[in-house]
Amino acid sequence: MKMIFEACVDSVESAINAETGGSDRIELCADLLEGGITPSYAMIKLALEKLKISVNVIIRPRGGDFLYTDYEYEVMKRDIEFCKQAG
């Protein structure tokens, strides 16, 4: 059984470096100091254009706890829809 290596990165450049270094897939985030939040649409699109390996996008509207408001859930749903459309 092959072990899958996933690199958690917060930039397109880091994602490319991780792929070059042998990562099997990427977890794409922004603001890792906050524990990772959803990256911008532009970062997602560019990463998908530049990488040959799988890209998983973290869906998290903000750092801190995981008790989200109804509006934050709506943002998360829309981010998920965008990611599905982006591939």
Side-chain angles (χ1 to χ4, degrees):
M1 174 190 261
K2 181 183 185 248
M3 187 176 295
I4 295 173
F5 182 73
E6 179 180 83
C8 182
V9 299
D10 63 354
S11 72
V12 175
E13 185 173 7
S14 293
I16 292 168
N17 290 338
E19 180 180 56
T20 301
S23 291
D24 297 301
R25 68 182 178 213
I26 298 298
E27 180 182 56
L28 190 62
C29 306
D31 201 357
L32 285 175
L33 293 176
E34 277 292 326
I37 61 171
T38 305
S40 71
Y41 293 169
M43 186 189 304
I44 295 166
K45 292 289 281 184
L46 188 57
L48 290 171
E49 290 171 16
K50 298 295 180 185
L51 298 172
K52 295 178 184 78
I53 59 177
S54 297
V55 176
N56 293 321
V57 177
I58 191 169
I59 303 296
R60 187 173 181 220
R62 59 166 171 76
D65 64 34
F66 296 93
L67 303 173
Y68 299 119
T69 68
D70 289 342
Y71 292 117
E72 288 171 324
Y73 274 116
E74 186 61 32
V75 167
M76 293 167 71
K77 288 180 201 174
R78 292 180 187 206
D79 283 338
I80 291 167
E81 285 300 319
F82 169 79
C83 289
K84 286 171 55 176
Q85 292 170 5

